[in-house]
Structures are given as structure tokens and as C-alpha cells.
Amino acid sequence: MSKEKFDYFIKGEKGKYEVVIGLEVHAQVLSKSKLFSGSSTKFGADPNNQVSLIDSAFPGMLPVINEECVKQAVRTGLGLNAKINNYSVFDRKNYFYADLPQGYQISQYKNPIVGEGKVLLDMPYGSKEIGIERLHLEQDAGKSIHDMDPSNTYVDLNRSGIALMEIVSKPDLRSPDEVNAYIKKLRSIMRYLGTCDGNMQEGSLRADVNVSVRKEGDTNFGTRCEIKNVNSIKFMQMAIEYEAARQVELIENGKKIDQETRLFDTKKNETRSMRSKEDAHDYRYFPDPDLLPLKLEQKLIDDLKKSLPELPDKKKERFVKEYGLNAYEANVLVSEKEISDYYEEVAKLSDKKLAATWMMGDLFAMLNDRGLDISKSPISAKYFAELVQAIKSGEISGRIAKEVFEIMVESGDNPKKIIESKGMKQQSDPKELEKIINEILSKNKDKVDQYKAGKEKLFGFFVGQVMKLSGGKANPQLTNEILKKLLKG
Amino acid sequence: MADITNQSLNEIIENVKTKKVSSTELTKAYVKNIESAKKLNAFVTTTFDQALNNAKQFDNKPNFDQLLPGIPLAVKDLFCTENIKTTAGSNILNNFIPSYESTITKNLWDHGSFLLGKLNCDEFAMGSSNETSYYGNVINPVGDQLVPGGSSGGSSSALAADLTPATIGTDTGGSIRQPASFTGTVGLKPTYGLCSRWGIVAFASSLDQAGPMTKTIKDCAIMLEAMSGFDEKDSTSINKKKEQYSKNLKDNIKGLKIGIPKEYRVDNMPKEVDELWEKGKKILKDLGAQLIDISLPHTKYALPTYYIVAPAEASSNLARYDGVRYGYRSKQGKDLIEMYEKTRSEGFGDEVKRRILIGTYVLSSGYYDAYYLKAQKVRQLIKKDFDDSFKKIDAILTPSTPSSAFKIGEKTNDPVSMYLNDIFTVPVNLAGLPALSMPAGVDKQGHPLGLQLIGKTLDEQKILNIGYAFEKNCGFKNEIKKWWS
């Protein structure tokens, strides 16, 4: 595969600018109950129906760490090839807000549970490593609802206390495409691990985006702005593009960039200042005296490591080696665990290479059109494998296969049954084909003469006629062979 | 029959068990006492009907095998009690009725006792004289001009005035031991983590510890046994086997090594306090204990350290009182920030505000390292002083307080002089150790004074034993005239 060159720069009057991006991803831990209470974390409950006395910070209530959330954070850290810290501390981040019942968020500040790690991205210009600075556990806040009443704000505490993993990247990302690839890779790893469902619509994955720009070739970072709480990849990309352009314009006009927190307005497609560095909160972090430092036994970490599933990078390697796929195919097929599972089931029962081609072509197109996940595919892996095998064995042509595929999508039927009942089997009997071909040739003597005189382009015309007469069922390869033979004679 | 309330908890339990008195008779007697002692202002809430009902239930179906069979108890209003208003002595919780019961009170009820009422205390347990309570100051039964100590001042006053046979308080920097000392009663601050903090309105989480307040050491052992124990709902709770403190109480202290720290003397300490300390040493020595001079060199930093750590934690712990979900909310305020400001300005008293401000300051960026972080380091040194000493001794004997009960209003305008009252008690909280204040004598005005026994981590039994032996040989008798009724 030919490699493209990285080329994402903002062009200003005075030169090209490189965009430097770092992400703080907030990923909701997949767990039955909250980080420090037994309340359910299920999405979509009626407001304030999943709130314990702890989540709503009643007097005398105390947090107790949910061990499963700790394990999930360790698993995620291991999945990010990161250092797991045997000793970590929960701190209080103090600020007042109506949807923050305690008046502080329990988070990890100086001693996070997970340290440095890395994530590999496959970009068109080669693979790129993105550094992970840290991962820490923290509580989510509740939700303030400002638009239900003209004069009151309503608060829903269902989210209050849900465990989040904040995954902080190093400022290694250089384009919206890399951000897209990074988020997708993170999500893929966490979904493989079962530590976060990655559902952005439900807010399970959100990010604060740090953006700065610098002249191409500069080694120092520019002043960054942080765009808070962006909840889709598309919006992240839009916000980065807008923000980078804004910063370049400031620089080109000889103005200073203020370090500040900004909001992305999805309706106007612009970022807006939320608060400047001077107005930044003083969170008065200090270790939460209600919680002891978290000490992890090495054995626990080792056991979790042993029980990790095969992750996308490893699986990709295996797909290349075991199934003879190219890197691109392998990459696509491991992007989601469910896709890789589906593929492996198909590959077990059919031609591995052809299965990959058909999955990435017709199957994905169909799922995409219908907005379906592969787990909801109307075609089971077993039937899909049968279809692939029918193509491979020459039982049906690729063109017929597309028709069979359509019928399978609508009916959910077994491809064999469809091929048989509709008589779609490929005509592969040389005698029968010869008969058809001879008929065509005798009907088009003029064209045969022209062909023989050197107009070889007409070969395609003959093939088309054969197909037409056979109702598309003529085996194309055989047709070619016989046609060539007869035209020579 | 003589006054059935003018006795120790242990005697009262015996009387109930031997059916000399029923739970109902006992409860009625306390109700009568409480009603005639309104002047003391020891109670914020009484629960007489509920208590009499509980007593009746007990009498109908008595279980004498329990530790506290049919015993009515009043508790500090810092313990959340299910369906009973819990104020923490603050206006901001003046309408707060918990839907839950604190682990400590639940433990007491599970051992056969029941609630008689909620006792006044300094607002959010911040105070040494019970003068910061929104519900007014409490009077020491020892004298009508005297403070009962604080923050568990309602508890010490009620106990000394026979308004409850025993009680519980909380001790963050001396809030059990100092009031006990001021009222001639016994108070124990257990090892940090021995008694669950779940359901106790928090002041400073790393220091807060509930403990018993009683008339005698034996009573103290009974109460501690009933209230202590591991609680999975408190992450700082110690998971260990439950002890039978009362059964294991022994008065033989022969050969025990008692440390005498040279740093437990302050300028202008009344001579009587020194004399009392000497008397204490002599009693223990006569009982066969060995006195050993020790040094706890970082003691002088304990008070400043405490007044950084405790307010820092408090400033954060009290952030939840914002008028949004429960408690007092100001009717004024045109937006969220203003609502917060008004609610907290009107809801908190001056001492609480002072500590929130101090705490916010010491945690602020730019000051954190100089104050909070340094205080945490000093705290470790203070703890290390004790750890080092405890390698060669069994317990430490000190005065409980630098003076006897002071007059109401005497120190209200001088916070530092008020804070100095905790100078002997605070180091123990910083180190997380158990300590007992036991009555030992009176000063020249006849006001009680206490001595403090500090033990190793989880060595409650030993200091109770020493206290038990001391009590038998000290000859102290709390002569309180019931001037208020």
C-alpha cells in the first residue's frame, strides 16, 4: 500500500501552522453501581431515581470504593500499555455547583491509579504512537437542566457519583483525523476490555480538547485553549478546525492567545470563551480524608493482566498472519470486537480473503445504510459464510451473489435455498455454455469478422451477450475461455 | 427507693436486670429530671413519647442478656437519628430530619437501649464551651455561670445532671475529654477507626471519633463495647474482632509503665493542675505502676497543626450545606451564587464561618504547601513522637485540660484562648490514639479537674484498666447540687 504524506497544516499569510492537540477523555466505567455508592448506573431512568444518600451528600454519609470500578480502571490501564500504580490517592476537588451535591468531586490528582502508556494509531501515512499521560478515576456530577422552567433550574442526580476514567493524552495529536482515529482506537480498546461502552450519544465518552498552534518546524508549544466537554467526534473535529483557525488568525494579526477555557457552540460552529486563566477555579485539591489511599496488590494486577482478552493490535497481527489479510483489511476488521468476532466465525467456514472483501464491501455498506451494528445484522455469520463459499466454489457469480445478498437481507434466508429456489446457480457446464456462445456468434457474424480483423474490443460485447442470454448465470471465467477458443477457430 | 437516676449506668443496668426498676420507671424518672432541668439547655430535642413507648415494649418483652437492657439514652445532636431532627447545633440544619440512623446509635439501640433526646453541642462540633450552638449555650451543672466544655457540652451537662445514665459524644480535638474534665465525668476518645463515623455529621473526617461519656470507668467500658465495631460503610473503620471491654476490666496495673511527658505544661497553668497531675502519678505509682519520664518534642506544634488540618477538612465537609437539597435555604438570592451566599451566611454561625475561611485559605493554591502540606508533615512527626515513646511505655498520663471550667462568655471574644483549651487533647486526635479523661480532683473553687490517659493504638482495654484502678483509689466524688430544679 502506498503511503500518503501527513499534510494537515493551517495556511496563514505568513506561513504554515501545525496544530497540536491533547485530549482529556472522560470515559464512563462500565459497572453496575456507582464509584462510591450502590446506586445503579443504568442509563435512561427517570430523573433522581438512581440516587442514594451518598450521591446526594446527606450529612454523615461516607464514600466506599467500588472494587469493580478499580478493576475496570486497571484493565483499561493495561489495555493502554500503561504503568499501573500500586499506590494511588483520591482527592477532593472543591467547587460549588447545584449539581455537585458534596461541594467537591472525588477525583485523583497527584497520585492517579494509572500512569504513562501509549496507543497506536494506523494513519494513511503510517502508524503513529500517541502517548498517554495518565488515567485516573473520578466521580461524575449530576445534570443541571435550565430549560424546563423559565425561572428555576432543575437538577437530576442520576449521574452523580458514576465512575469516570479520565484518560489524558500527551499533546501528540496533530490533526482532526488523528483525533478521530485516537478516539476510535480508545473506544475500541475499552469495548474489547468491556470497561466502557463508548456510547457517545449517552454521554459515556466525552472529551476536553486542548488545542494550540505553532509555526511548522517550531519546537516550543503555543499557548493552548481548552474546549470543554465535547461529546462527539464530529464536534471535536469541528471545534479543532475552528479553534486552530482562530488562533492562527490571532497570531497573524500580531495578537496574543489567552490561555482559557472555551465552549464549543454546536449550532454556530464556533468556540466561545468560558473563563480566562485568571478566573480559573481554585479547586483546593486535598486528599479525601474519608478514603484511605488505594493500595493494589501486584497479584491483583497480574491476575487482571492474565485475564485480559486479545486486544485490537494483537488481533490485527494475528489476522494478517493467520488469515492472510493485508494491514488495512485487518485494521478494519478488528476495529470493533463484534466485527472481529463475526469475521472469525465467517472465516472459519469459508474463504478467508474473500470473506474479508465481502464483509468490508457489501455487508458494511448494508449495515451502514440501515444504521445497524453488526450484532444486529440481518445476515448471520453462518449464512454469510455460505454465501462466500458459493462464490468461491463458482456456484454463483459475483453479480448473482449481490442479488442473493439482497434477498438474504430481506428474508434472512439461507443462501443455498435462495440460489436453488430462484435457479440462480451459475452455468458452468462447458457444453451448455458452448451452445449459448455459438448461438451468439452465429447471430453476429459481422462482429465476429470485425473481431478477427483486429477489433478486439468487441470481446466484451460477446461476453455481455452471453450473460444476457444466460440470465447472468454464465460462469464468467468459463465464458471467457470458451469464447476465446471459439473466436480463434 | 432512692433516686434511681443518681447512680452509675452499671448500677442502673443491675437494677433493671434484677427488676428493682422497670425500664418505664427509669425512663419516667429521666423525663422528670429533664423537664426540671430546662435551665441547663442541654437538650435540643426530646423524644419522650417514643422513649416511653420503647420502655413499655422492653418491659413487656424484656431481654436482660443485652448490654444495655431497657436503658434510655440521650445522644449528642451530631448523630443522625432516623425520623428525629438532627441539627448539629446549627441553624443550617434546623429542619433536617434524617431518614437514616447512624451506625453508632444503631449499635446502641441494638444492645437494648433507646433514644431519650438529642443533646446540644457546639455548632458542627466547633467549639470548646458549647457557646457556638445556634440553640444557645449550655450550662454546666457544676455552677450556673460555668460552661460545660465543648463541643459535647450538652452531653457532659446532661450526664453530670442525671439527665441521662450515660451518653455519647464526638471528639475531634478534645470534644469528649474536655467536657468530661469540666463536669467531673469520664470521657473516652477511642482509636481512630474503632467507632464508625457513618451517619455522624462530619466536622474533620481524619480526626472525628465518637466515644462514650459516662460517670464511671466501668460504664465507659460498657458503652464502648456497645458502640464500637467494624462498619463496612466507613472506609476508615478498623476491621477487627469485637472486644469485651467491661468483662475484661481489671484493676491490677502492677508493673505497667506510665509515661510522663515533660511537654504537657503550659505557661500560667494553675498550680492545682500540676498538683493534680502529681497526685495522679502518686496513685498510679502506689498501685505498682512504674513512672517513666518521656519527651514528645513536637507537642508544641500540635495546636497550630490541628487548626490547619481540622478547618481544611471542615471547609470541604461543610460545602454540602448549600440550601439545594435539605436544610435551611435563604428566601433571598436572585441566582444560584447569591442563594449560596445568603443561605450559608444566614445558616452558619461565626465560629463555623471562621473555620471555613481558615480552611479555605490553607488549601488555596499558593498556600497549600506552606500550610496544609506542612501541617500533614508535622502531624506525622507528632504521631512518631508517640510511636517512639510507646516502644517503652504502656500509657501516658497528662492533665486533660490546662484549667477547670471557665465562665460563660469569658473566652467567646478570644478564639485563640478558647483554642488553647484543647492543647492537651489535640495531639491525641492528630495521632489517632485512644485517650481517656477521668475525674481526679477539684481546684480551689471546687470545680472538677480531669487527668488524661493516652494509650497505644487499639489499647483501649489497657487505659480503661488503668482508669479503673485509678478511680478506685482516687476518692473523687462529684458533688453536684441540683440547683436548677
Side-chain angles (χ1 to χ4, degrees):
Chain A
M1 220 168 43
S2 75
K3 279 184 184 170
E4 294 169 29
K5 212 169 148 271
F6 173 82
D7 188 28
Y8 186 83
F9 295 98
I10 308 287
K11 283 167 196 76
E13 303 267 310
K14 296 168 187 164
K16 278 162 88 184
Y17 293 83
E18 185 185 31
V19 184
V20 177
I21 307 154
L23 291 186
E24 293 165 23
V25 171
H26 298 264
Q28 182 177 327
V29 174
L30 213 51
S31 65
K32 285 204 181 73
S33 51
K34 295 182 179 179
L35 184 52
F36 297 110
S37 81
S39 313
S40 166
T41 56
K42 221 166 161 206
F43 179 78
D46 284 343
N48 295 314
N49 265 271
Q50 292 175 170
V51 185
S52 74
L53 294 165
I54 297 168
D55 310 323
S56 47
F58 270 65
M61 291 301 103
L62 299 171
V64 175
I65 186 80
N66 177 343
E67 277 177 40
E68 185 51 26
C69 294
V70 172
K71 287 183 185 165
Q72 292 288 58
V74 172
R75 286 186 189 109
T76 307
L78 292 169
L80 300 175
N81 305 299
K83 180 178 181 298
I84 308 301
N85 293 323
N86 298 72
Y87 176 91
S88 68
V89 176
F90 286 101
D91 295 279
R92 292 186 183 177
K93 179 180 179 179
N94 295 281
Y95 66 96
F96 281 94
Y97 204 62
D99 58 24
L100 187 75
Q102 291 167 140
Y104 54 83
Q105 176 195 32
I106 304 179
S107 181
Q108 295 189 302
Y109 185 50
K110 282 187 186 155
N111 297 287
I113 184 165
V114 175
E116 291 190 330
K118 55 177 188 277
V119 168
L120 268 183
L121 305 186
D122 275 290
M123 301 308 295
Y125 35 88
S127 87
K128 175 162 178 179
E129 189 178 301
I130 304 299
I132 299 292
E133 180 72 38
R134 60 185 277 166
L135 175 155
H136 70 249
L137 277 168
E138 63 183 26
Q139 297 177 299
D140 204 350
K143 204 165 94 186
S144 291
I145 305 157
H146 301 291
D147 55 5
M148 272 177 74
D149 185 282
S151 55
N152 288 298
T153 293
Y154 290 98
V155 175
D156 177 7
L157 294 180
N158 282 354
R159 293 191 69 93
S160 167
I162 283 184
L164 300 178
M165 296 179 281
E166 181 171 326
I167 305 167
V168 182
S169 84
K170 301 207 166 178
D172 289 348
L173 297 156
R174 292 292 178 270
S175 72
D177 278 350
E178 290 188 359
V179 167
N180 175 48
Y182 173 74
I183 296 276
K184 284 189 172 150
K185 189 62 180 281
L186 267 191
R187 185 166 63 179
S188 162
I189 292 170
M190 292 190 290
R191 288 171 60 109
Y192 266 78
L193 292 166
T195 58
C196 171
D197 67 17
N199 191 330
M200 296 187 98
Q201 283 88 38
E202 293 177 6
S204 302
L205 203 64
R206 336 194 276 271
D208 300 339
V209 186
N210 285 288
V211 180
S212 66
V213 298
R214 63 181 173 191
K215 274 262 178 72
E216 190 186 8
D218 273 5
T219 47
N220 290 334
F221 290 124
T223 304
R224 70 188 154 87
C225 291
E226 182 182 15
I227 310 159
K228 275 273 172 208
N229 215 15
V230 193
N231 61 7
S232 88
I233 295 178
K234 185 139 191 49
F235 289 152
M236 284 176 210
Q237 294 182 309
M238 285 160 72
I240 291 164
E241 280 170 21
Y242 176 88
E243 182 59 20
R246 186 186 73 88
Q247 292 184 13
V248 167
E249 198 183 318
L250 282 172
I251 293 171
E252 297 249 308
N253 291 325
K255 289 184 185 143
K256 210 174 110 263
I257 293 161
D258 294 323
Q259 188 178 334
E260 60 183 0
T261 304
R262 299 178 71 85
L263 273 179
F264 182 61
D265 184 329
T266 55
K267 290 193 185 92
K268 292 187 183 154
N269 184 20
E270 61 178 32
T271 65
R272 264 204 313 273
S273 181
M274 208 169 125
R275 55 176 179 256
S276 71
K277 196 185 174 188
E278 288 71 40
D279 297 333
H281 289 301
D282 182 352
Y283 289 120
R284 289 173 281 122
Y285 280 101
F286 76 107
D288 190 330
D290 285 332
L291 292 160
L292 300 171
L294 190 61
K295 289 175 185 159
L296 298 179
E297 304 262 343
Q298 192 55 41
K299 189 178 175 309
L300 174 84
I301 299 169
D302 294 343
D303 287 351
L304 287 172
K305 194 167 191 171
K306 271 180 227 150
S307 69
L308 288 190
E310 183 184 37
L311 290 174
D313 288 343
K314 272 267 150 52
K315 188 169 277 186
K316 184 183 152 190
E317 265 174 47
R318 183 166 64 81
F319 275 20
V320 169
K321 227 166 80 187
E322 211 167 284
Y323 299 134
L325 304 181
N326 64 39
Y328 173 74
E329 290 167 330
N331 210 30
V332 172
L333 291 176
V334 303
S335 64
E336 301 237 5
K337 188 173 177 297
E338 290 75 12
I339 292 175
S340 69
D341 288 346
Y342 190 100
Y343 171 72
E344 289 211 85
E345 210 181 322
V346 175
K348 243 185 274 165
L349 303 167
S350 65
D351 183 80
K352 295 158 181 60
K353 192 79 182 170
L354 197 61
T357 311
W358 275 82
M359 257 186 84
M360 290 167 63
D362 294 67
L363 185 71
F364 283 4
M366 179 273 294
L367 293 173
N368 205 23
D369 279 352
R370 296 174 175 237
L372 292 176
D373 284 340
I374 199 154
S375 57
K376 300 270 159 58
S377 169
I379 300 179
S380 70
K382 184 166 168 275
Y383 285 179
F384 190 77
E386 283 177 14
L387 177 67
V388 171
Q389 269 321 83
I391 304 164
K392 180 68 186 176
S393 68
E395 197 182 330
I396 53 170
S397 68
R399 206 170 63 81
I400 294 290
K402 283 182 193 288
E403 276 176 48
V404 176
F405 180 85
E406 292 301 326
I407 300 168
M408 286 168 77
V409 171
E410 298 309 327
S411 66
D413 265 348
N414 173 339
K416 275 200 183 112
K417 199 176 128 195
I418 295 167
I419 293 165
E420 253 160 52
S421 69
K422 307 232 169 191
M424 294 165 111
K425 217 170 192 161
Q426 188 159 258
Q427 184 49 270
S428 299
D429 182 343
K431 276 184 193 153
E432 288 295 315
L433 277 176
E434 245 185 82
K435 227 191 259 172
I436 296 171
I437 292 169
N438 275 327
E439 197 185 328
I440 303 276
L441 295 183
S442 58
K443 264 190 198 162
N444 297 282
K445 283 218 166 79
D446 51 336
K447 292 210 165 66
V448 173
D449 290 342
Q450 287 173 25
Y451 178 85
K452 286 185 172 168
K455 205 170 176 188
E456 287 186 5
K457 257 199 269 173
L458 280 168
F459 191 79
F461 164 80
F462 296 121
V463 173
Q465 289 300 307
V466 175
M467 285 298 165
K468 202 172 162 191
L469 198 63
S470 69
K473 284 181 268 176
N475 180 325
Q477 215 182 329
L478 218 52
T479 303
N480 280 357
E481 279 169 26
I482 297 169
L483 198 55
K484 266 183 195 158
K485 193 181 79 187
L486 292 179
L487 279 169
K488 259 185 203 162
Chain B
M1 186 173 176
D3 182 359
I4 53 174
T5 62
N6 186 20
Q7 299 177 57
S8 73
L9 172 68
N10 185 43
E11 288 164 332
I12 291 168
I13 292 169
E14 281 311 305
N15 289 341
V16 172
K17 279 185 176 174
T18 54
K19 299 189 180 171
K20 281 189 190 128
V21 60
S22 70
S23 177
T24 302
E25 285 169 318
L26 191 64
T27 305
K28 280 183 175 161
Y30 281 109
V31 168
K32 192 164 156 263
N33 286 4
I34 294 164
E35 281 184 328
S36 66
K38 289 194 173 138
K39 269 184 212 161
L40 298 177
N41 197 29
F43 281 76
V44 174
T45 305
T46 54
T47 54
F48 295 155
D49 290 346
Q50 182 186 307
L52 288 164
N53 251 329
N54 281 318
K56 203 166 125 193
Q57 273 176 33
F58 178 86
D59 289 334
N60 287 341
K61 220 180 154 186
N63 175 359
F64 298 114
D65 297 330
Q66 301 174 101
L67 263 177
L68 300 166
I71 304 296
L73 291 175
V75 304
K76 188 177 186 177
D77 206 14
L78 211 64
F79 295 88
C80 288
T81 41
E82 193 176 344
N83 299 325
I84 304 292
K85 189 172 77 167
T86 299
T87 69
S90 181
N91 183 27
I92 213 155
L93 286 176
N94 70 23
N95 59 2
F96 176 60
I97 297 173
S99 60
Y100 48 94
E101 187 77 33
S102 81
T103 299
I104 291 296
T105 46
K106 183 174 185 301
N107 287 348
L108 294 178
W109 314 151
D110 287 350
H111 282 290
S113 67
F114 48 84
L115 184 68
L116 194 51
K118 304 294 293 286
L119 296 167
N120 206 337
C121 58
D122 278 304
E123 186 177 4
F124 285 101
M126 297 178 190
S128 306
S129 63
N130 216 118
E131 290 170 294
T132 71
S133 169
Y134 176 73
Y135 304 92
N137 64 295
V138 175
I139 296 168
N140 190 337
V142 169
D144 64 354
Q145 300 297 310
L146 298 177
V147 302
S151 65
S152 311
S155 301
S156 65
S157 175
L159 175 67
D162 296 334
L163 311 184
T164 181
T167 185
I168 50 175
T170 59
D171 190 319
T172 306
S175 282
I176 285 174
R177 289 159 290 158
Q178 184 252 23
S181 178
F182 280 13
T183 53
T185 56
V186 175
L188 173 73
K189 185 208 88 81
T191 302
Y192 183 78
L194 185 67
C195 291
S196 169
R197 292 183 297 113
W198 195 88
I200 303 174
V201 177
F203 163 14
S205 311
S206 75
L207 301 158
D208 293 346
Q209 189 59 202
M213 299 173 75
T214 57
K215 290 178 181 168
T216 69
I217 297 286
K218 176 107 189 191
D219 292 358
C220 190
I222 295 168
M223 286 292 283
L224 184 65
E225 200 173 316
M227 67 196 284
S228 61
F230 175 63
D231 181 6
E232 58 180 16
K233 290 188 286 188
D234 175 358
S235 306
T236 59
S237 175
I238 299 172
N239 193 352
K240 66 178 271 285
K241 206 177 105 247
K242 260 187 90 82
E243 305 267 347
Q244 294 184 295
Y245 300 107
S246 54
K247 201 178 130 197
N248 296 329
L249 202 58
K250 289 183 189 72
D251 60 5
N252 182 359
I253 60 165
K254 208 165 272 175
L256 287 186
K257 298 187 176 92
I258 309 293
I260 309 295
K262 65 175 184 206
E263 290 81 5
Y264 277 59
R265 273 195 179 82
V266 290
D267 294 342
N268 306 322
M269 192 160 87
K271 225 176 79 196
E272 294 112 307
V273 176
D274 240 334
E275 286 168 5
L276 186 82
W277 197 5
E278 290 306 317
K279 176 185 156 191
K281 291 180 207 170
K282 186 172 182 304
I283 292 171
L284 295 182
K285 201 176 172 190
D286 291 348
L287 288 167
Q290 190 186 340
L291 302 180
I292 295 175
D293 287 329
I294 59 165
S295 173
L296 301 165
H298 295 92
T299 300
K300 59 173 177 277
Y301 304 116
L303 205 59
T305 298
Y306 174 83
Y307 275 98
I308 289 169
V309 173
E313 293 181 9
S315 71
S316 176
N317 280 338
L318 269 58
R320 65 187 57 198
Y321 307 106
D322 58 7
V324 174
R325 297 166 314 285
Y326 50 79
Y328 176 79
R329 181 198 286 200
S330 173
K331 298 215 165 36
Q332 296 165 52
K334 55 181 189 306
D335 57 21
L336 181 66
I337 299 295
E338 224 177 74
M339 190 279 280
Y340 283 154
E341 287 171 356
K342 302 265 186 213
T343 295
R344 289 167 66 84
S345 292
E346 294 160 22
F348 290 136
D350 287 349
E351 183 60 29
V352 170
K353 285 179 197 161
R354 179 180 295 125
R355 297 199 197 191
I356 290 174
L357 288 174
I358 294 171
T360 304
Y361 178 79
V362 299
L363 288 175
S364 294
S365 117
Y367 299 98
Y368 180 88
D369 289 0
Y371 291 107
Y372 185 78
L373 200 62
K374 182 162 266 177
Q376 288 297 0
K377 287 178 186 163
V378 177
R379 185 174 181 180
Q380 289 310 308
L381 294 174
I382 291 166
K383 189 172 182 317
K384 191 173 176 296
D385 281 355
F386 281 111
D387 290 346
D388 291 347
S389 288
F390 275 124
K391 284 178 191 150
K392 46 187 193 258
I393 55 169
D394 295 292
I396 295 170
L397 182 75
T398 77
S400 298
T401 53
S403 74
S404 66
F406 46 87
K407 285 212 170 73
I408 293 164
E410 191 182 319
K411 294 180 196 278
T412 40
N413 292 322
D414 185 359
V416 174
S417 123
M418 187 74 92
Y419 297 169
L420 278 168
N421 238 275
D422 299 329
I423 197 151
F424 298 147
T425 49
V426 151
V428 170
N429 298 78
L430 290 169
L433 301 171
L436 179 74
S437 176
M438 53 194 181
V442 291
D443 64 8
K444 60 176 180 279
Q445 298 150 285
H447 300 162
L449 282 166
L451 286 176
Q452 173 174 243
L453 281 166
I454 306 170
K456 291 179 207 177
T457 298
L458 295 175
D459 221 2
E460 277 79 1
Q461 187 71 58
K462 197 176 282 168
I463 55 173
L464 284 168
N465 287 352
I466 299 168
Y468 194 45
F470 178 89
E471 183 182 65
K472 284 187 175 173
N473 293 278
C474 170
F476 172 83
K477 195 160 182 331
N478 211 2
E479 310 274 3
I480 292 177
K481 294 181 186 67
K482 300 203 171 171
W483 50 265
W484 56 86
S485 58

